Amino acid sequence: MQRIKKFFSDVVREMRKVSWPKRGELTKYTVTVLSTVVFVALFFEVIDLGISKMIRLILE
């Protein structure tokens, strides 16, 4: 039990050392991640549709 208490005590001590992002930074990072995910999803959707169409043309 003592080891578990020490572990959580160490975790709390290390978490206090963490440099957390400010609200503006967090918003900017979130927008960047979401826009990148949307862009990559759309890119792969277009590629998938193109490949599917080419395969349908070849097989018909």
Side-chain angles (χ1 to χ4, degrees):
M1 189 67 179
Q2 188 64 23
R3 290 174 63 196
I4 294 172
K5 287 170 70 173
K6 181 175 175 2
F7 171 76
F8 283 110
S9 172
D10 290 345
V11 168
V12 169
R13 190 174 336 115
E14 288 299 319
M15 291 300 284
R16 287 190 179 128
K17 295 179 186 177
V18 173
S19 172
W20 297 101
K22 304 290 184 236
R23 186 176 185 91
E25 291 175 320
L26 186 60
T27 303
K28 185 172 77 171
Y29 298 154
T30 302
V31 168
T32 301
V33 167
L34 291 177
S35 61
T36 302
V37 167
V38 168
F39 173 76
V40 170
L42 289 174
F43 173 77
F44 281 114
E45 179 66 23
V46 168
I47 297 298
D48 183 52
L49 287 173
I51 291 172
S52 296
K53 195 166 203 154
M54 285 178 18
I55 289 174
R56 271 189 246 116
L57 286 174
I58 291 171
L59 295 178
E60 287 181 355

